[in-house]
Amino acid sequence: MHRNIEVDRPIEGMEHPEHRVEFELSPGDIQSVRFGISPGHELAHTVRVLLRPEQHPLQWGWLRAVRERLPRDSFGLLAAVIGEDGYLPDFLTAAPRWDMTPEGELDALRSAPLDPMRVDFGKMVLRSTGSRRRALRDMQEQPARARAMIADAWQEVWDAAVAPVWAQLERLLRADIAVRSRTIAASGISGMADALHPNVSWGAGAVRVRLRRHSEQVDCRGSGLVLVPSVMSSWGCMVLTEPPAQPTLFYPARGVTAGWARSAAEITDALGALLGPARAEILLGASVARTTSQIALDAGIAVSTASHHLRVLRDAGLIASERDGARMMHMRTPLGEAMVGAVL
């Protein structure tokens, strides 16, 4: 006697623990894995944090400072476009790059092609109801007007909510990338991928990402994979897989605590209580490699004094120094990142 047994398999669009996207890489693709920064992604998730603050406790310190200065109409427009969860329209973010700036992101949005925008609006119409659906349908029918309005709203919300803390936020993003890059050099892609997030793993030539509602196999051979840390989407991972965009994985940056939005002066004071003001300033500025002369100039101290402080930090395992031709370059170690992250 035969019985029909219903197999519990992932269904697209419905939550299931076995949903996953697999980014397939060839053995020689290590050179095609790169890191980028996405101001647009941070702004989109800024909107989602503001829509559902109870789900983002790491952002509460920042939230208290920003709520009262939000431009109501511009925020409402972005909230309608972005939504609280799920699909994020592709046109809102340009291709992430190491040197991507907020200005570059906004310029790309103002010149985004209209036909793909119509497609994105159509996807959002299907995922929405009521007044939001009607607003999105109007935008789909007049994409040029919608693009201009969204770009203006992007600028206003950015200036009010993100620009005041962009220096702190960008420092966290670049510090994360520095640590991940060193992990690739020391342990390969597998070691780096396994440490990205509990939902990310490496195996059989693929970076696997567990998602809630979507499964897909993405062939990255020849195109590579872009890895983008995020401070505002600290809850989990997102992916970008649809051409012409390069396959992209967004993941939570390390070192994000409830105090991440503190000013550089506050962070330097906190580190200074432990290391002394001069060494704290040097360590905080060591997220990118600099020469001894550059460090001395930035700190306003003599080169010989900078060399002494660097030696102390190096002996403590907080700074790594490597020769680049005739220059000696200094940068935070993972232990140094951890110390700065504990203060942020």
Side-chain angles (χ1 to χ4, degrees):
M1 181 175 179
H2 298 284
R3 291 183 300 171
N4 292 325
I5 301 174
E6 184 176 346
V7 179
D8 182 21
R9 288 182 292 187
I11 298 174
E12 189 67 18
M14 298 182 64
E15 292 198 21
H16 194 284
E18 295 302 316
H19 271 306
R20 70 187 66 234
V21 169
E22 296 190 358
F23 294 101
E24 298 174 348
L25 297 163
S26 67
D29 270 340
I30 186 170
Q31 300 299 326
S32 298
V33 175
R34 63 180 180 84
F35 290 89
I37 286 175
S38 177
H41 184 83
E42 295 304 301
L43 182 65
H45 284 279
T46 291
V47 171
R48 289 184 168 178
V49 168
L50 288 161
L51 287 171
R52 302 170 80 174
E54 71 282 357
Q55 297 187 6
H56 304 278
L58 292 182
Q59 313 300 349
W60 287 351
W62 163 81
L63 274 166
R64 283 192 291 271
V66 75
R67 268 181 169 161
E68 298 304 317
R69 59 175 183 251
L70 275 178
R72 184 180 301 272
D73 292 343
S74 292
F75 176 76
L77 175 61
L78 291 187
V81 173
I82 293 167
E84 294 183 351
D85 193 14
Y87 173 74
L88 189 64
D90 294 344
F91 70 81
L92 281 174
T93 57
R97 303 193 313 266
W98 171 257
D99 59 349
M100 177 59 77
T101 64
E103 295 78 14
E105 188 86 74
L106 182 57
D107 287 345
L109 175 57
R110 290 194 184 280
S111 60
L114 296 181
D115 286 341
M117 283 187 68
R118 288 190 185 93
V119 174
D120 287 353
F121 282 128
K123 293 177 182 178
M124 291 185 290
V125 166
L126 294 175
R127 291 168 167 83
S128 60
T129 59
S131 60
R132 184 186 178 214
R133 171 175 281 188
R134 290 191 294 273
L136 290 169
R137 188 174 285 120
D138 288 343
M139 295 182 204
Q140 185 182 23
E141 292 173 356
Q142 302 181 69
R145 179 174 179 269
R147 180 179 62 185
M149 293 174 59
I150 292 169
D152 289 344
W154 194 106
Q155 178 77 75
E156 289 190 18
V157 175
W158 177 275
D159 289 345
V162 186
V165 294
W166 178 242
Q168 297 96 302
L169 197 154
E170 186 180 22
R171 183 166 55 243
L172 281 167
L173 298 177
R174 295 194 182 281
D176 179 275
I177 290 172
V179 172
R180 309 294 183 187
S181 298
R182 291 177 205 152
T183 302
I184 290 179
S187 305
I189 292 179
S190 61
M192 181 276 299
D194 286 338
L196 274 179
H197 187 268
N199 289 341
V200 179
S201 61
W202 167 269
V207 175
R208 296 189 176 94
V209 188
R210 285 202 307 271
L211 298 178
R212 289 183 297 162
R213 302 188 183 99
H214 178 60
S215 291
E216 186 177 0
Q217 285 190 306
V218 184
D219 188 352
C220 300
R221 290 169 292 187
S223 63
L225 176 64
V226 184
L227 302 173
V228 184
S230 176
V231 171
M232 288 298 182
S233 60
S234 55
W235 54 270
C237 298
M238 291 187 68
V239 300
L240 182 59
T241 63
E242 190 168 330
Q246 188 169 3
T248 304
L249 166 58
F250 299 91
Y251 64 90
R254 59 187 292 158
V256 180
T257 69
W260 71 265
R262 287 192 293 174
S263 69
E266 291 177 295
I267 298 168
T268 301
D269 287 345
L271 286 173
L274 177 65
L275 301 172
R279 290 171 193 162
E281 185 174 350
I282 290 172
L283 183 63
L284 188 60
S287 59
V288 295
R290 293 179 298 164
T291 66
T292 307
S293 298
Q294 288 171 326
I295 290 170
L297 181 63
D298 291 343
I301 57 179
V303 172
S304 58
T305 305
S307 295
H308 169 71
H309 289 316
L310 285 165
R311 183 169 61 253
V312 173
L313 292 169
R314 187 166 53 247
D315 290 345
L318 302 177
I319 290 284
S321 301
E322 296 182 2
R323 186 164 295 281
D324 179 17
R327 304 181 304 170
M328 186 67 77
M329 308 298 291
H330 311 280
M331 192 170 181
R332 283 199 299 258
T333 65
L335 178 60
E337 300 291 356
M339 177 172 284
V340 172
V343 176
L344 284 170

